[in-house]
Amino acid sequence: MYLSLPYNGDLEFLKTVKDRKYPVKTVYGKRFQDVIGGGRARYDIANYSDDNLKQAIELTHEIGAEFNYLFNAPCSANIEEKKQKEIIEQVKNLIEEYKIDMMTIANPKLLKILKENFPNLKFSVSIISKVDSLEKVLEYEKVGATEITLDYNIYRNFNELKRIIKNSSVNFQLLANDGYLFNCPWATYHFQLEGHDSQDNYNGSLKYFSYCRFNCKQKSAQDPYELIRGMWIRPEDIHYYEELGFQKFKIIDRLKETNWLLNAVEAYVNRQYKGNLSDILCSFDTFEKESVKTPQITQNDMKVNTIQNLRHYWDLKPYIDNEKLTKLNFLDFFVKNKIDCRNKKCSDCMYCKNIADVTVQVDNDNANNVIYNLDSIKEKIIDTVKE
């Protein structure tokens, strides 16, 4: 097993990773903004300096890993054509001055352009590209992809995973700890919003807010079985994917603090986590919190300068009993029955619902306050965006 780890702007995180000798293949990160943008909005990520980024890349190389620079906004409004010279200059600078080893791309046309100009640079296809079939894999392989992060919506479709890895020659990685919704209808829109917000030419007068993420949080609060439907990969289940031939697993998120990340990385290195699985799923901030009592928001509470100051009003702490999931051999159902969740109605199956009933606990008062608070916050922010 090899890991791909996020750089959160804290050099101490990478120093600890180096000291602990984790099996790291790549470290990924990016500037606050650049000409193409990435998969996280400006307001979410650390705005670390260019010198900090250079030090992070040096540390990555000392670890024995490669640095993967994210250029993975899904929509660039033809910037790849209009600003091709500027893009090529930025990438050239990243290679020659910063010493990056790889770039993650979500736009197939941009991949084609950069591969033609930088044939020796490695290119990883982003999960944002939603590569979920052998046919898509082969198309990206033709364009020049070195690596592909497969769409997490097929992580329990073992037939398709086997078909993909047996019939292609690119490298793959799987995203292990994303706790978002299965087949989320907001995902494409969400990544487009975040990509535009992290581009140099973004119009700052267009106020960004994560309406999509609020919907995910609300849905998880309303129906805990969504927490089981999510296509995460538990540390205990890594071996199922290794047996198919997948060796590299991506840990997220760049938004997380160092202690949170180290806890998640340790779990995957040790291939087990005793306690609350949501501690290591990036959608939640449960790690190191004994309990969460989210208050109901008032109109006065919303008179703050930034959305960041309201975070504790949507703090949901579900308890997903990971040891029970192990005792229930949770993933065996998908491995043995060769289920494709994309082609089967959940209401006809009920497996995840039945598992959630015995493994998931959510404080109803807390959940109801989160639902109410997010409705109130969304309404307030939409009014602000219209101004």
Side-chain angles (χ1 to χ4, degrees):
M1 175 182 68
Y2 299 103
L3 297 176
S4 176
L5 301 184
Y7 180 53
N8 63 351
D10 182 6
L11 294 168
E12 291 303 317
F13 170 61
L14 295 182
K15 290 174 184 176
T16 303
V17 167
K18 178 185 174 184
D19 291 343
R20 295 184 183 179
K21 296 181 171 58
Y22 291 140
V24 182
K25 194 82 166 179
T26 56
V27 173
Y28 62 92
K30 71 180 285 84
R31 291 187 178 112
F32 182 59
Q33 281 183 296
D34 53 41
V35 63
I36 290 297
R40 290 288 179 263
R42 286 177 298 168
Y43 91 97
D44 262 342
I45 61 176
N47 183 14
Y48 43 80
S49 66
D50 285 349
D51 184 61
N52 179 290
L53 178 58
K54 287 179 182 178
Q55 289 184 66
I57 295 171
E58 288 175 9
L59 269 170
T60 297
H61 292 155
E62 289 175 16
I63 290 168
E66 296 179 318
F67 194 89
N68 181 356
Y69 189 88
L70 306 177
F71 232 36
N72 59 333
C75 176
S76 51
N78 288 331
I79 289 174
E80 67 275 10
E81 301 291 357
K82 297 173 186 175
K83 297 187 176 183
Q84 192 169 133
K85 185 177 179 181
E86 180 183 341
I87 291 168
I88 290 169
E89 284 302 312
Q90 274 200 18
V91 175
K92 184 179 179 182
N93 176 256
L94 286 165
I95 295 170
E96 294 180 356
E97 185 176 344
Y98 289 78
K99 312 300 182 186
I100 67 164
D101 308 283
M102 179 183 288
M103 293 197 89
T104 291
I105 307 291
N107 177 336
K109 181 60 186 299
L110 179 63
L111 172 58
K112 186 175 186 297
I113 292 168
L114 292 180
K115 187 66 178 178
E116 289 171 355
N117 283 275
F118 303 100
N120 296 322
L121 185 64
K122 296 179 181 179
F123 291 97
S124 181
V125 177
S126 174
I127 197 165
I128 294 172
S129 301
K130 300 188 78 64
V131 179
D132 59 0
S133 68
L134 174 62
E135 290 70 29
K136 290 182 184 179
V137 166
L138 295 177
E139 285 302 311
Y140 275 104
E141 190 175 327
K142 284 180 190 175
V143 181
T146 311
E147 173 185 86
I148 296 173
T149 305
L150 293 175
D151 182 35
Y152 32 57
N153 288 312
I154 63 166
Y155 287 2
R156 294 176 192 166
N157 182 349
F158 284 83
N159 275 345
E160 189 62 24
L161 291 174
K162 186 175 182 179
R163 177 173 172 252
I164 286 171
I165 204 160
K166 282 198 167 185
N167 293 285
S168 55
S169 58
V170 296
N171 298 318
F172 294 99
Q173 68 175 358
L174 303 180
L175 202 166
N177 65 325
D178 194 326
Y180 293 127
L181 304 179
F182 171 59
N183 268 337
C184 176
W186 297 93
T188 300
Y189 173 49
H190 189 181
F191 284 123
Q192 288 172 344
L193 284 173
E194 303 221 329
H196 282 303
D197 188 69
S198 59
Q199 290 166 351
D200 285 335
N201 67 334
Y202 179 77
N203 182 354
S205 65
L206 295 174
K207 303 178 182 71
Y208 170 87
F209 75 100
S210 191
Y211 184 90
C212 310
R213 192 171 292 160
F214 290 171
N215 281 335
C216 288
K217 187 74 75 172
Q218 280 185 305
K219 198 165 184 182
S220 296
Q222 289 165 337
D223 197 338
Y225 107 94
E226 292 287 355
L227 301 170
I228 298 298
R229 288 211 307 165
M231 292 285 159
W232 31 258
I233 300 172
R234 298 188 314 131
E236 294 82 357
D237 294 333
I238 290 288
H239 69 93
Y240 288 106
Y241 299 91
E242 290 177 318
E243 287 160 13
L244 290 179
F246 295 99
Q247 296 296 323
K248 189 178 177 188
F249 300 87
K250 180 177 179 179
I251 305 297
I252 57 176
D253 201 323
R254 291 180 287 139
L255 281 56
K256 295 296 188 183
E257 295 180 355
T258 291
N259 284 347
W260 190 98
L261 285 172
L262 289 172
N263 184 57
V265 173
E266 193 76 25
Y268 283 94
V269 169
N270 292 330
R271 297 173 181 260
Q272 67 172 354
Y273 192 74
K274 294 182 179 180
N276 186 359
L277 183 65
S278 68
D279 286 348
I280 60 173
L281 299 181
C282 75
S283 304
F284 307 99
D285 294 305
T286 60
F287 177 56
E288 295 184 327
K289 292 184 180 179
E290 290 296 322
S291 63
V292 170
K293 294 296 180 185
T294 302
Q296 193 170 104
I297 200 166
T298 67
Q299 289 299 312
N300 194 55
D301 294 327
M302 288 189 281
K303 293 177 182 177
V304 296
N305 293 328
T306 68
I307 189 68
Q308 300 297 85
N309 293 329
L310 296 176
R311 279 188 178 277
H312 62 288
Y313 286 106
W314 62 80
D315 200 355
L316 182 69
K317 183 181 171 69
Y319 190 91
I320 306 172
D321 193 324
N322 196 41
E323 291 177 83
K324 279 188 180 178
L325 287 171
T326 298
K327 290 176 183 176
L328 292 167
N329 295 313
F330 169 68
L331 205 63
D332 278 4
F333 174 80
F334 301 96
V335 176
K336 293 178 180 177
N337 295 316
K338 297 179 170 46
I339 298 292
D340 183 353
C341 293
R342 299 172 300 174
N343 299 327
K344 191 176 184 67
K345 284 179 66 177
C346 288
S347 57
D348 291 339
C349 175
M350 300 297 285
Y351 177 72
C352 291
K353 174 69 167 64
N354 293 334
I355 291 291
D357 287 344
V358 296
T359 61
V360 179
Q361 296 176 2
V362 175
D363 183 306
N364 288 331
D365 289 338
N366 183 61
N368 289 335
N369 282 347
V370 168
I371 294 165
Y372 173 84
N373 292 348
L374 287 176
D375 276 335
S376 302
I377 292 168
K378 282 191 290 186
E379 183 178 343
K380 176 70 174 177
I381 296 178
I382 289 170
D383 289 340
T384 303
V385 170
K386 289 176 181 176
E387 292 174 0

